[in-house]
Amino acid sequence: MDLQNMNPSSLKSRFATRFLRALTKINAQKPISSSSSREIFQRYRRIKVAADKSMAYSVRSRRSWSRATLWRLRTRSPRSRLATLARRSSVKTRTTRAASHGATVVDRKSHGKENKEDGGVEAEELRELVPGGEAMDLCNLLDETAHYIKCLTTQVQVMRTIANLYSLH
Amino acid sequence: MELNAGAGGNGSHKTASERDEVAALESLQFTDEIRRLMSAPGGDNASSFTALLELPAPQAVQLIQSPDSAKLIAAPAPAPAPNVDDFRGSFQFPFNCGLIDRAARFSVFAGDGNINGNNKSNSPEPTSYNSSASLQKPVKNEPAETESSQPLVSDPTVENRSIKRKDREKVKGSSKKSKTSAKESSEDAEKLPYVHVRARRGQATDSHSLAERARREKINARMKLLQDLVPGCSKISGTALVLDEIINHVQSLQRQVEFLSMRLAAVNPRIDFNLDSVFTAESGSLMDSNFSGMVIPMMWPEVQLNGNRQQYPQQLHLDAFQQPVSGREEVCNSYLTPENSLLSYDSSGNSASLHSNQLKMEL
């Protein structure tokens, strides 16, 4: 088994690298012997945040959902009051700006109401699921969903492998 | 002979997807129509048409266009009421059920004498030319359709264009067929190798509807991609159900991520790695060989950059003893650097992969 087989800059390897690093950091911070449920819950939250963050960082800002995730993470953690207030007022404008900045084909009209009409209820649900999906028209939403599904699948694969590795011993 | 060779060659390429399509096709009472056609007493039309269909598409077109077409059409009448199976095998159906619907509805298989009747009545030529003329247009559509569908099962945009072409055919209406058949034959002949978008006759050409149509096609193309991505979605037809499936899939993936992170939080406490078991486990169902290579440096305070992986286990055993002794902070710091160095050996440079924004999308 040689290490050169896999593409070193593929999404999978980038995510795995970052996530492992974050994991070691988390493990190093807390004393490992504790097994109270509260500690485990805290660690679980940290790990989940680390997973989402490393995936979003692996995608950089190329995708609207990754930008939205990074924005969400950035404003959620450090500052509480001011950050949430600022976030609520500016999240719409920020994501729309980011979305229109990134998507080259989107014209002004596509943010209008008439382009969100098909898909209906399901499109709304999808918008809630995909981060940053509220400000997208259906066309871009489907695009983002496809990439998001691909990244989620990678994430699940990597995490499952790590968990298996850990639980072997 | 040519005909049988074509049919045999095409028939051997049956795949499961074709069988699915065939099953769908049967539900359209398609085969009944075919059988009816084949056994029709006006046997000239039926047998010659289906015999033509046995040919691969371009050959069929050639036959039609050649001046001897009338003779050739009449000739293979002995190709005996061809089996529906052969017919299926040579006829590549497009994936899109909408297209199948339109095809079934549209021309020859409808069985009504509308189309054929018009042509026959409008052109009082000898019967052989009549039959060839009446067959010309519908048969051209079918080979054109097969031709367009063959390379295009994977290409939704061009398939959508062929849908547009079908739309155009329908829109023209049966009354125009005799006048436009000659014109169409030249158009179709040009377009056979590849279907291009054209300005439509008889359809609104204002920018709004064109934009609408283009948008709808983009959305349909993306829905097809999503259908391929989500397992079990390709069988479902209808936008709403497909979207439901996609939503379920995304939700399940997100839940899996949560569950796995919970598992990692619970299992994590034991970081004592036994590398041998890691290597043996790697030969199992682990995802990538590269992966355990990245896990290894986590345990190492110091790593010698080696070109050979076999040296790793020995060094690890030496260091693993020292690890529980060292403090947390030191270990933490040293985790990161060897991992960096290892990965820089491993790949084209960790920093490069971190900062490279020009990585292509891997969709």
Side-chain angles (χ1 to χ4, degrees):
Chain A
M1 295 154 255
D2 45 351
L3 298 169
Q4 284 84 3
N5 257 351
M6 190 170 128
N7 179 13
S9 59
S10 73
L11 178 70
K12 201 184 263 182
S13 62
R14 293 201 309 267
F15 169 70
T17 312
R18 283 203 177 87
F19 184 55
L20 281 171
R21 225 181 284 159
L23 259 190
T24 55
K25 232 188 276 184
I26 291 177
N27 283 338
Q29 282 169 8
K30 285 281 178 180
I32 293 194
S33 54
S34 69
S35 57
S36 66
S37 55
R38 189 195 169 92
E39 299 265 0
I40 291 185
F41 184 70
Q42 278 182 359
R43 188 186 285 134
Y44 146 71
R45 257 200 318 211
R46 286 208 190 90
I47 289 183
K48 180 163 180 295
V49 163
D52 291 336
K53 199 186 226 182
S54 27
M55 181 45 87
Y57 266 114
S58 304
V59 181
R60 285 281 131 167
S61 310
R62 270 172 293 150
R63 283 282 165 176
S64 183
W65 67 265
S66 71
R67 290 191 288 266
T69 315
L70 286 175
W71 170 254
R72 212 180 277 177
L73 287 173
R74 205 168 289 159
T75 49
R76 185 201 300 187
S77 42
R79 297 134 284 186
S80 51
R81 293 277 158 203
L82 280 174
T84 48
L85 280 178
R87 185 165 53 98
R88 259 188 234 117
S89 64
S90 68
V91 66
K92 284 293 182 191
T93 58
R94 173 71 175 239
T95 50
T96 47
R97 216 175 350 115
S100 56
H101 185 61
T104 53
V105 198
V106 171
D107 44 344
R108 288 299 146 204
K109 196 163 59 152
S110 65
H111 286 296
K113 268 228 155 65
E114 77 262 12
N115 284 343
K116 290 189 190 171
E117 98 277 344
D118 24 347
V121 180
E122 288 85 8
E124 288 309 309
E125 275 194 56
L126 202 53
R127 286 207 173 87
E128 289 169 25
L129 282 179
V130 175
E134 298 88 6
M136 285 190 260
D137 56 340
L138 188 63
C139 199
N140 290 331
L141 180 68
L142 293 180
D143 223 7
E144 297 287 323
T145 307
H147 193 260
Y148 186 57
I149 287 180
K150 188 186 102 157
C151 292
L152 274 182
T153 319
T154 315
Q155 198 173 354
V156 164
Q157 260 181 11
V158 172
M159 289 174 76
R160 187 175 289 147
T161 314
I162 295 182
N164 286 338
L165 267 178
Y166 268 115
S167 59
L168 277 180
H169 317 289
Chain B
M1 247 182 61
E2 224 179 27
L3 296 169
N4 296 331
N10 283 339
S12 63
H13 290 303
K14 258 191 256 188
T15 59
S17 60
E18 278 186 49
R19 283 191 214 107
D20 283 345
E21 290 166 347
V22 164
L25 214 55
E26 285 191 33
S27 69
L28 295 175
Q29 295 159 356
F30 193 63
T31 53
D32 289 346
E33 311 271 9
I34 297 175
R35 288 205 185 93
R36 239 184 287 144
L37 266 182
M38 284 196 258
S39 56
D44 200 341
N45 280 351
S47 58
S48 55
F49 167 66
T50 49
L52 267 177
L53 280 185
E54 280 183 357
L55 294 175
Q59 291 190 27
V61 172
Q62 267 183 18
L63 278 182
I64 293 169
Q65 287 174 347
S66 72
D68 300 332
S69 63
K71 259 188 287 175
L72 279 175
I73 287 174
N83 234 354
V84 183
D85 292 323
D86 287 345
F87 174 70
R88 275 188 217 151
S90 62
F91 204 94
Q92 305 267 348
F93 276 104
F95 243 97
N96 192 357
C97 288
L99 200 49
I100 297 177
D101 272 337
R102 288 200 198 93
R105 255 184 283 136
F106 174 62
S107 62
V108 187
F109 310 123
D112 55 345
N114 194 10
I115 298 160
N116 293 333
N118 261 344
N119 279 341
K120 279 192 188 146
S121 60
N122 286 342
S123 50
E125 280 91 350
T127 46
S128 63
Y129 182 71
N130 225 355
S131 62
S132 68
S134 66
L135 287 176
Q136 228 178 14
K137 188 178 171 316
V139 172
K140 279 252 196 65
N141 286 338
E142 301 315 324
E145 192 178 330
T146 61
E147 191 66 357
S148 66
S149 66
Q150 269 170 9
L152 292 183
V153 174
S154 56
D155 190 349
T157 55
V158 188
E159 185 179 293
N160 286 331
R161 286 183 196 138
S162 67
I163 296 177
K164 271 200 257 181
R165 196 173 56 78
K166 286 309 245 181
D167 268 335
R168 179 166 55 98
E169 308 294 353
K170 273 186 70 173
V171 162
K172 285 210 202 115
S174 52
S175 58
K176 288 194 196 173
K177 287 224 165 48
S178 58
K179 295 178 207 157
T180 60
S181 62
K183 182 176 191 304
E184 267 185 304
S185 58
S186 57
E187 284 180 17
D188 287 349
E190 293 168 33
K191 284 197 298 186
L192 266 174
Y194 193 81
V195 178
H196 296 283
V197 177
R198 259 176 225 247
R200 252 152 242 93
R201 287 183 56 145
Q203 281 213 333
T205 52
D206 54 336
S207 58
H208 283 303
S209 53
L210 275 180
E212 268 292 316
R213 212 174 301 123
R215 203 186 124 258
R216 238 180 290 138
E217 284 172 14
K218 272 205 319 193
I219 288 182
N220 284 337
R222 277 165 193 166
M223 290 284 293
K224 285 195 89 59
L225 282 179
L226 275 172
Q227 271 185 310
D228 294 334
L229 214 49
V230 176
C233 213
S234 46
K235 297 191 184 74
I236 305 179
S237 61
T239 321
L241 296 175
V242 169
L243 276 180
D244 274 339
E245 234 358 86
I246 293 173
I247 287 172
N248 284 338
H249 192 242
V250 169
Q251 276 174 343
S252 86
L253 281 176
Q254 285 176 341
R255 258 182 267 133
Q256 277 182 41
V257 167
E258 288 184 17
F259 180 68
L260 279 171
S261 59
M262 178 92 67
R263 197 172 144 198
L264 277 174
V267 171
N268 231 356
R270 307 179 302 137
I271 317 187
D272 44 340
F273 257 98
N274 191 2
L275 246 203
D276 288 337
S277 61
V278 168
F279 277 124
T280 51
E282 184 182 343
S283 59
S285 60
L286 293 185
M287 78 171 168
D288 278 323
S289 57
N290 194 20
F291 189 71
S292 56
M294 280 189 266
V295 170
I296 293 170
M298 268 170 53
M299 303 313 303
W300 268 0
E302 287 138 45
V303 170
Q304 306 293 328
L305 287 183
N306 299 320
N308 201 357
R309 260 183 119 219
Q310 274 75 33
Q311 301 184 22
Y312 289 179
Q314 304 154 8
Q315 295 194 359
L316 181 71
H317 284 316
L318 287 178
D319 292 332
F321 295 127
Q322 304 168 11
Q323 264 193 352
V325 178
S326 57
R328 289 285 158 219
E329 293 75 38
E330 299 163 26
V331 167
C332 174
N333 289 337
S334 53
Y335 277 167
L336 299 184
T337 47
E339 189 176 359
N340 263 332
S341 51
L342 182 71
L343 285 167
S344 60
Y345 142 72
D346 187 17
S347 61
S348 55
N350 212 12
S351 51
S353 68
L354 275 181
H355 297 298
S356 63
N357 281 334
Q358 62 272 22
L359 294 171
K360 295 198 194 88
M361 213 64 59
E362 286 142 321
L363 246 187

